[in-house]
Tab-separated table of all heavy atoms in Angstrom:
chain	number	residue	atom	x	y	z
A	1	LEU	N	-5.154	9.452	-3.189
A	1	LEU	CA	-4.166	10.504	-2.960
A	1	LEU	C	-3.103	10.021	-1.981
A	1	LEU	O	-1.901	10.274	-2.182
A	1	LEU	CB	-4.855	11.760	-2.411
A	1	LEU	CG	-3.949	12.920	-1.995
A	1	LEU	CD1	-3.114	13.409	-3.181
A	1	LEU	CD2	-4.771	14.070	-1.418
A	2	LEU	N	-3.511	9.317	-0.954
A	2	LEU	CA	-2.551	8.803	0.017
A	2	LEU	C	-1.586	7.819	-0.640
A	2	LEU	O	-0.370	7.909	-0.449
A	2	LEU	CB	-3.281	8.125	1.171
A	2	LEU	CG	-2.393	7.448	2.212
A	2	LEU	CD1	-1.523	8.479	2.914
A	2	LEU	CD2	-3.217	6.665	3.213
A	3	LEU	N	-2.101	6.897	-1.423
A	3	LEU	CA	-1.238	5.894	-2.061
A	3	LEU	C	-0.290	6.540	-3.062
A	3	LEU	O	0.818	6.047	-3.281
A	3	LEU	CB	-2.086	4.823	-2.743
A	3	LEU	CG	-2.881	3.917	-1.801
A	3	LEU	CD1	-3.712	2.909	-2.598
A	3	LEU	CD2	-1.964	3.189	-0.826
A	4	ASP	N	-0.721	7.637	-3.668
A	4	ASP	CA	0.154	8.337	-4.619
A	4	ASP	C	1.269	9.104	-3.910
A	4	ASP	O	2.259	9.473	-4.542
A	4	ASP	CB	-0.673	9.318	-5.464
A	4	ASP	CG	-1.605	8.597	-6.436
A	4	ASP	OD1	-1.384	7.392	-6.682
A	4	ASP	OD2	-2.564	9.234	-6.912
A	5	SER	N	1.108	9.343	-2.603
A	5	SER	CA	2.053	10.195	-1.883
A	5	SER	C	2.853	9.473	-0.810
A	5	SER	O	3.916	9.948	-0.405
A	5	SER	CB	1.293	11.352	-1.212
A	5	SER	OG	0.456	12.033	-2.105
A	6	ILE	N	2.369	8.357	-0.341
A	6	ILE	CA	2.877	7.789	0.898
A	6	ILE	C	4.327	7.348	0.828
A	6	ILE	O	5.037	7.368	1.836
A	6	ILE	CB	1.972	6.619	1.365
A	6	ILE	CG1	2.278	6.279	2.819
A	6	ILE	CG2	2.104	5.420	0.445
A	6	ILE	CD1	1.278	5.322	3.447
A	7	CYS	N	4.826	6.967	-0.336
A	7	CYS	CA	6.228	6.509	-0.424
A	7	CYS	C	7.210	7.624	-0.078
A	7	CYS	O	8.365	7.348	0.266
A	7	CYS	CB	6.518	5.935	-1.805
A	7	CYS	SG	5.751	4.308	-2.071
A	8	ASP	N	6.749	8.882	-0.123
A	8	ASP	CA	7.636	9.998	0.220
A	8	ASP	C	8.017	10.000	1.698
A	8	ASP	O	9.015	10.621	2.078
A	8	ASP	CB	6.965	11.335	-0.129
A	8	ASP	CG	6.825	11.541	-1.623
A	8	ASP	OD1	7.619	10.930	-2.369
A	8	ASP	OD2	5.926	12.289	-2.036
A	9	VAL	N	7.234	9.340	2.547
A	9	VAL	CA	7.533	9.376	3.974
A	9	VAL	C	8.593	8.340	4.355
A	9	VAL	O	9.178	8.427	5.431
A	9	VAL	CB	6.271	9.153	4.842
A	9	VAL	CG1	5.162	10.096	4.417
A	9	VAL	CG2	5.802	7.718	4.817
A	10	PHE	N	8.846	7.381	3.482
A	10	PHE	CA	9.843	6.347	3.786
A	10	PHE	C	11.208	6.821	3.309
A	10	PHE	O	11.782	6.295	2.353
A	10	PHE	CB	9.451	5.027	3.126
A	10	PHE	CG	8.214	4.407	3.698
A	10	PHE	CD1	6.978	4.626	3.121
A	10	PHE	CD2	8.283	3.626	4.838
A	10	PHE	CE1	5.832	4.060	3.649
A	10	PHE	CE2	7.133	3.055	5.386
A	10	PHE	CZ	5.910	3.273	4.783
A	11	VAL	N	11.762	7.799	4.019
A	11	VAL	CA	12.985	8.456	3.549
A	11	VAL	C	14.200	7.529	3.566
A	11	VAL	O	15.144	7.725	2.810
A	11	VAL	CB	13.282	9.719	4.395
A	11	VAL	CG1	12.224	10.767	4.149
A	11	VAL	CG2	13.348	9.373	5.878
A	12	ASP	N	14.198	6.538	4.428
A	12	ASP	CA	15.343	5.636	4.513
A	12	ASP	C	15.087	4.296	3.836
A	12	ASP	O	15.805	3.323	4.047
A	12	ASP	CB	15.727	5.405	5.989
A	12	ASP	CG	16.287	6.662	6.628
A	12	ASP	OD1	16.998	7.397	5.928
A	12	ASP	OD2	15.992	6.912	7.808
A	13	VAL	N	14.037	4.250	3.019
A	13	VAL	CA	13.724	3.043	2.248
A	13	VAL	C	13.859	3.391	0.776
A	13	VAL	O	13.376	4.445	0.352
A	13	VAL	CB	12.287	2.572	2.541
A	13	VAL	CG1	11.894	1.426	1.621
A	13	VAL	CG2	12.168	2.139	3.993
A	14	PRO	N	14.521	2.572	-0.003
A	14	PRO	CA	14.583	2.852	-1.449
A	14	PRO	C	13.181	3.088	-1.999
A	14	PRO	O	12.297	2.236	-1.838
A	14	PRO	CB	15.223	1.589	-2.022
A	14	PRO	CG	16.019	1.017	-0.891
A	14	PRO	CD	15.230	1.328	0.352
A	15	LYS	N	12.993	4.268	-2.598
A	15	LYS	CA	11.643	4.609	-3.045
A	15	LYS	C	11.123	3.601	-4.065
A	15	LYS	O	9.926	3.321	-4.119
A	15	LYS	CB	11.625	6.025	-3.631
A	15	LYS	CG	10.212	6.538	-3.931
A	15	LYS	CD	10.196	8.014	-4.216
A	15	LYS	CE	8.770	8.494	-4.452
A	15	LYS	NZ	8.693	9.936	-4.700
A	16	ASP	N	12.023	3.029	-4.854
A	16	ASP	CA	11.576	2.055	-5.842
A	16	ASP	C	10.933	0.852	-5.166
A	16	ASP	O	9.932	0.316	-5.643
A	16	ASP	CB	12.760	1.599	-6.709
A	16	ASP	CG	13.205	2.688	-7.675
A	16	ASP	OD1	12.437	3.653	-7.858
A	16	ASP	OD2	14.309	2.572	-8.237
A	17	ASP	N	11.501	0.428	-4.033
A	17	ASP	CA	10.935	-0.718	-3.328
A	17	ASP	C	9.513	-0.419	-2.864
A	17	ASP	O	8.607	-1.247	-3.008
A	17	ASP	CB	11.793	-1.070	-2.108
A	17	ASP	CG	13.118	-1.702	-2.494
A	17	ASP	OD1	13.340	-1.925	-3.704
A	17	ASP	OD2	13.927	-1.961	-1.587
A	18	CYS	N	9.344	0.774	-2.294
A	18	CYS	CA	8.013	1.179	-1.831
A	18	CYS	C	7.047	1.313	-2.996
A	18	CYS	O	5.916	0.829	-2.947
A	18	CYS	CB	8.106	2.493	-1.061
A	18	CYS	SG	6.520	3.112	-0.460
A	19	GLN	N	7.501	1.956	-4.068
A	19	GLN	CA	6.615	2.190	-5.203
A	19	GLN	C	6.246	0.892	-5.900
A	19	GLN	O	5.112	0.715	-6.358
A	19	GLN	CB	7.286	3.153	-6.194
A	19	GLN	CG	6.307	3.871	-7.104
A	19	GLN	CD	5.338	4.742	-6.314
A	19	GLN	OE1	5.742	5.645	-5.597
A	19	GLN	NE2	4.043	4.452	-6.437
A	20	VAL	N	7.189	-0.055	-5.960
A	20	VAL	CA	6.891	-1.364	-6.555
A	20	VAL	C	5.805	-2.061	-5.740
A	20	VAL	O	4.872	-2.659	-6.294
A	20	VAL	CB	8.167	-2.239	-6.634
A	20	VAL	CG1	7.806	-3.693	-6.910
A	20	VAL	CG2	9.090	-1.714	-7.716
A	21	PHE	N	5.920	-1.975	-4.412
A	21	PHE	CA	4.910	-2.592	-3.549
A	21	PHE	C	3.538	-1.961	-3.794
A	21	PHE	O	2.533	-2.667	-3.938
A	21	PHE	CB	5.304	-2.432	-2.084
A	21	PHE	CG	4.290	-2.953	-1.114
A	21	PHE	CD1	4.230	-4.305	-0.816
A	21	PHE	CD2	3.382	-2.099	-0.508
A	21	PHE	CE1	3.281	-4.799	0.070
A	21	PHE	CE2	2.429	-2.578	0.378
A	21	PHE	CZ	2.377	-3.929	0.669
A	22	VAL	N	3.482	-0.625	-3.852
A	22	VAL	CA	2.198	0.061	-4.068
A	22	VAL	C	1.623	-0.295	-5.432
A	22	VAL	O	0.434	-0.631	-5.558
A	22	VAL	CB	2.361	1.589	-3.933
A	22	VAL	CG1	1.081	2.308	-4.363
A	22	VAL	CG2	2.711	1.967	-2.500
A	23	ASN	N	2.466	-0.238	-6.457
A	23	ASN	CA	1.982	-0.538	-7.806
A	23	ASN	C	1.495	-1.980	-7.926
A	23	ASN	O	0.499	-2.260	-8.608
A	23	ASN	CB	3.089	-0.278	-8.834
A	23	ASN	CG	3.444	1.190	-8.948
A	23	ASN	OD1	2.663	2.060	-8.524
A	23	ASN	ND2	4.609	1.495	-9.487
A	24	SER	N	2.188	-2.898	-7.263
A	24	SER	CA	1.837	-4.316	-7.371
A	24	SER	C	0.511	-4.634	-6.690
A	24	SER	O	-0.203	-5.555	-7.094
A	24	SER	CB	2.940	-5.185	-6.748
A	24	SER	OG	4.165	-4.997	-7.415
A	25	HIS	N	0.182	-3.855	-5.655
A	25	HIS	CA	-1.009	-4.175	-4.858
A	25	HIS	C	-2.007	-3.023	-4.821
A	25	HIS	O	-2.842	-2.948	-3.915
A	25	HIS	CB	-0.584	-4.527	-3.421
A	25	HIS	CG	0.411	-5.635	-3.333
A	25	HIS	ND1	0.119	-6.940	-3.667
A	25	HIS	CD2	1.716	-5.639	-2.955
A	25	HIS	CE1	1.188	-7.707	-3.489
A	25	HIS	NE2	2.177	-6.931	-3.066
A	26	TYR	N	-1.938	-2.145	-5.816
A	26	TYR	CA	-2.701	-0.893	-5.762
A	26	TYR	C	-4.201	-1.126	-5.549
A	26	TYR	O	-4.802	-0.570	-4.620
A	26	TYR	CB	-2.472	-0.087	-7.044
A	26	TYR	CG	-2.976	1.332	-6.967
A	26	TYR	CD1	-2.191	2.328	-6.404
A	26	TYR	CD2	-4.245	1.679	-7.436
A	26	TYR	CE1	-2.648	3.636	-6.322
A	26	TYR	CE2	-4.699	2.980	-7.353
A	26	TYR	CZ	-3.900	3.958	-6.800
A	26	TYR	OH	-4.365	5.244	-6.709
A	27	GLU	N	-4.824	-1.923	-6.395
A	27	GLU	CA	-6.267	-2.141	-6.285
A	27	GLU	C	-6.630	-2.825	-4.971
A	27	GLU	O	-7.633	-2.487	-4.334
A	27	GLU	CB	-6.771	-2.961	-7.483
A	27	GLU	CG	-6.636	-2.271	-8.822
A	27	GLU	CD	-7.401	-0.946	-8.878
A	27	GLU	OE1	-8.496	-0.858	-8.260
A	27	GLU	OE2	-6.917	-0.006	-9.524
A	28	ASP	N	-5.792	-3.786	-4.573
A	28	ASP	CA	-6.048	-4.466	-3.298
A	28	ASP	C	-5.897	-3.496	-2.118
A	28	ASP	O	-6.659	-3.562	-1.146
A	28	ASP	CB	-5.080	-5.644	-3.125
A	28	ASP	CG	-5.382	-6.789	-4.078
A	28	ASP	OD1	-6.563	-6.937	-4.466
A	28	ASP	OD2	-4.446	-7.518	-4.446
A	29	LEU	N	-4.904	-2.606	-2.199
A	29	LEU	CA	-4.723	-1.608	-1.144
A	29	LEU	C	-5.931	-0.676	-1.051
A	29	LEU	O	-6.404	-0.345	0.043
A	29	LEU	CB	-3.453	-0.799	-1.389
A	29	LEU	CG	-2.133	-1.468	-0.989
A	29	LEU	CD1	-0.953	-0.735	-1.612
A	29	LEU	CD2	-1.992	-1.492	0.540
A	30	LEU	N	-6.421	-0.238	-2.206
A	30	LEU	CA	-7.608	0.614	-2.221
A	30	LEU	C	-8.780	-0.069	-1.515
A	30	LEU	O	-9.457	0.524	-0.672
A	30	LEU	CB	-8.015	0.947	-3.654
A	30	LEU	CG	-7.283	2.069	-4.374
A	30	LEU	CD1	-7.830	2.222	-5.784
A	30	LEU	CD2	-7.429	3.387	-3.627
A	31	LYS	N	-9.001	-1.320	-1.868
A	31	LYS	CA	-10.128	-2.063	-1.299
A	31	LYS	C	-9.940	-2.281	0.208
A	31	LYS	O	-10.848	-2.044	1.003
A	31	LYS	CB	-10.266	-3.415	-2.014
A	31	LYS	CG	-11.435	-4.283	-1.531
A	31	LYS	CD	-11.514	-5.558	-2.350
A	31	LYS	CE	-12.629	-6.481	-1.829
A	31	LYS	NZ	-13.955	-5.882	-1.997
A	32	ALA	N	-8.734	-2.704	0.592
A	32	ALA	CA	-8.473	-3.022	1.997
A	32	ALA	C	-8.584	-1.779	2.881
A	32	ALA	O	-9.194	-1.822	3.953
A	32	ALA	CB	-7.095	-3.652	2.134
A	33	LEU	N	-7.989	-0.667	2.426
A	33	LEU	CA	-8.044	0.559	3.227
A	33	LEU	C	-9.470	1.120	3.275
A	33	LEU	O	-9.911	1.612	4.316
A	33	LEU	CB	-7.074	1.593	2.664
A	33	LEU	CG	-5.587	1.278	2.872
A	33	LEU	CD1	-4.712	2.185	2.022
A	33	LEU	CD2	-5.201	1.420	4.351
A	34	ASN	N	-10.165	1.060	2.155
A	34	ASN	CA	-11.526	1.574	2.106
A	34	ASN	C	-12.454	0.779	3.016
A	34	ASN	O	-13.348	1.337	3.658
A	34	ASN	CB	-12.044	1.543	0.670
A	34	ASN	CG	-13.403	2.202	0.535
A	34	ASN	OD1	-13.607	3.326	0.975
A	34	ASN	ND2	-14.354	1.493	-0.059
A	35	GLU	N	-12.223	-0.527	3.095
A	35	GLU	CA	-13.079	-1.394	3.909
A	35	GLU	C	-12.503	-1.639	5.304
A	35	GLU	O	-13.053	-2.412	6.083
A	35	GLU	CB	-13.313	-2.719	3.180
A	35	GLU	CG	-14.055	-2.547	1.857
A	35	GLU	CD	-14.284	-3.856	1.119
A	35	GLU	OE1	-13.905	-4.926	1.659
A	35	GLU	OE2	-14.848	-3.819	0.015
A	36	LYS	N	-11.370	-0.993	5.594
A	36	LYS	CA	-10.759	-1.040	6.926
A	36	LYS	C	-10.420	-2.465	7.360
A	36	LYS	O	-10.744	-2.887	8.470
A	36	LYS	CB	-11.677	-0.363	7.947
A	36	LYS	CG	-12.010	1.078	7.603
A	36	LYS	CD	-12.918	1.721	8.636
A	36	LYS	CE	-13.268	3.159	8.255
A	36	LYS	NZ	-14.187	3.807	9.213
A	37	TRP	N	-9.746	-3.190	6.476
A	37	TRP	CA	-9.331	-4.542	6.838
A	37	TRP	C	-8.248	-4.476	7.913
A	37	TRP	O	-7.409	-3.561	7.910
A	37	TRP	CB	-8.756	-5.270	5.628
A	37	TRP	CG	-9.756	-5.608	4.564
A	37	TRP	CD1	-11.082	-5.306	4.544
A	37	TRP	CD2	-9.476	-6.277	3.330
A	37	TRP	NE1	-11.662	-5.741	3.387
A	37	TRP	CE2	-10.693	-6.349	2.621
A	37	TRP	CE3	-8.326	-6.809	2.748
A	37	TRP	CZ2	-10.785	-6.958	1.375
A	37	TRP	CZ3	-8.411	-7.424	1.516
A	37	TRP	CH2	-9.641	-7.497	0.824
A	38	PRO	N	-8.195	-5.463	8.807
A	38	PRO	CA	-7.067	-5.549	9.741
A	38	PRO	C	-5.757	-5.786	8.987
A	38	PRO	O	-5.761	-6.292	7.855
A	38	PRO	CB	-7.417	-6.750	10.620
A	38	PRO	CG	-8.899	-6.951	10.439
A	38	PRO	CD	-9.213	-6.494	9.055
A	39	THR	N	-4.646	-5.423	9.607
A	39	THR	CA	-3.340	-5.523	8.951
A	39	THR	C	-3.039	-6.934	8.468
A	39	THR	O	-2.650	-7.138	7.298
A	39	THR	CB	-2.231	-5.060	9.906
A	39	THR	OG1	-2.487	-3.707	10.276
A	39	THR	CG2	-0.863	-5.152	9.240
A	40	GLU	N	-3.204	-7.927	9.324
A	40	GLU	CA	-2.856	-9.303	8.940
A	40	GLU	C	-3.739	-9.783	7.805
A	40	GLU	O	-3.253	-10.430	6.857
A	40	GLU	CB	-2.982	-10.239	10.148
A	40	GLU	CG	-1.929	-10.020	11.209
A	40	GLU	CD	-0.515	-10.205	10.666
A	40	GLU	OE1	-0.297	-11.098	9.831
A	40	GLU	OE2	0.374	-9.430	11.073
A	41	THR	N	-5.032	-9.468	7.872
A	41	THR	CA	-5.960	-9.872	6.803
A	41	THR	C	-5.530	-9.266	5.474
A	41	THR	O	-5.522	-9.941	4.433
A	41	THR	CB	-7.396	-9.431	7.139
A	41	THR	OG1	-7.789	-9.993	8.382
A	41	THR	CG2	-8.372	-9.858	6.057
A	42	ALA	N	-5.174	-7.968	5.495
A	42	ALA	CA	-4.793	-7.282	4.261
A	42	ALA	C	-3.527	-7.879	3.668
A	42	ALA	O	-3.486	-8.197	2.466
A	42	ALA	CB	-4.608	-5.795	4.549
A	43	CYS	N	-2.495	-8.021	4.493
A	43	CYS	CA	-1.221	-8.498	3.968
A	43	CYS	C	-1.301	-9.936	3.477
A	43	CYS	O	-0.605	-10.340	2.516
A	43	CYS	CB	-0.121	-8.336	5.013
A	43	CYS	SG	0.286	-6.581	5.303
A	44	GLU	N	-2.135	-10.741	4.097
A	44	GLU	CA	-2.338	-12.107	3.608
A	44	GLU	C	-3.101	-12.074	2.280
A	44	GLU	O	-2.789	-12.839	1.351
A	44	GLU	CB	-3.092	-12.927	4.652
A	44	GLU	CG	-2.251	-13.268	5.873
A	44	GLU	CD	-3.081	-13.928	6.970
A	44	GLU	OE1	-4.264	-14.260	6.721
A	44	GLU	OE2	-2.535	-14.098	8.077
A	45	ALA	N	-4.096	-11.198	2.164
A	45	ALA	CA	-4.857	-11.092	0.919
A	45	ALA	C	-3.982	-10.607	-0.231
A	45	ALA	O	-4.182	-10.997	-1.379
A	45	ALA	CB	-6.035	-10.148	1.129
A	46	PHE	N	-2.999	-9.741	0.067
A	46	PHE	CA	-2.103	-9.248	-0.974
A	46	PHE	C	-1.130	-10.334	-1.433
A	46	PHE	O	-0.468	-10.196	-2.465
A	46	PHE	CB	-1.258	-8.069	-0.471
A	46	PHE	CG	-2.063	-6.899	0.040
A	46	PHE	CD1	-1.487	-5.984	0.900
A	46	PHE	CD2	-3.392	-6.699	-0.328
A	46	PHE	CE1	-2.200	-4.908	1.386
A	46	PHE	CE2	-4.112	-5.628	0.160
A	46	PHE	CZ	-3.520	-4.736	1.029
């Protein structure tokens, strides 16, 4: 639910850019957030 909604908070960022990022890394984001990976670990894994 968060990943489906979160791009709405980036009001000054082109929504397409945010949505492309989410769509490109969706499964990895689910796994990283669920397992509470550190930021650097997650972004390197993506």
Side-chain angles (χ1 to χ4, degrees):
L1 175 60
L2 176 64
L3 292 179
D4 291 343
S5 309
I6 195 170
C7 287
D8 291 336
V9 309
F10 293 95
V11 293
D12 292 323
V13 173
K15 189 168 182 178
D16 288 345
D17 288 357
C18 179
Q19 202 62 59
V20 166
F21 176 82
V22 171
N23 293 342
S24 299
H25 304 293
Y26 192 84
E27 295 301 325
D28 290 332
L29 281 165
L30 279 179
K31 181 177 177 65
L33 289 167
N34 186 51
E35 297 180 3
K36 303 180 181 178
W37 291 2
T39 300
E40 290 301 322
T41 302
C43 291
E44 288 173 8
F46 303 159

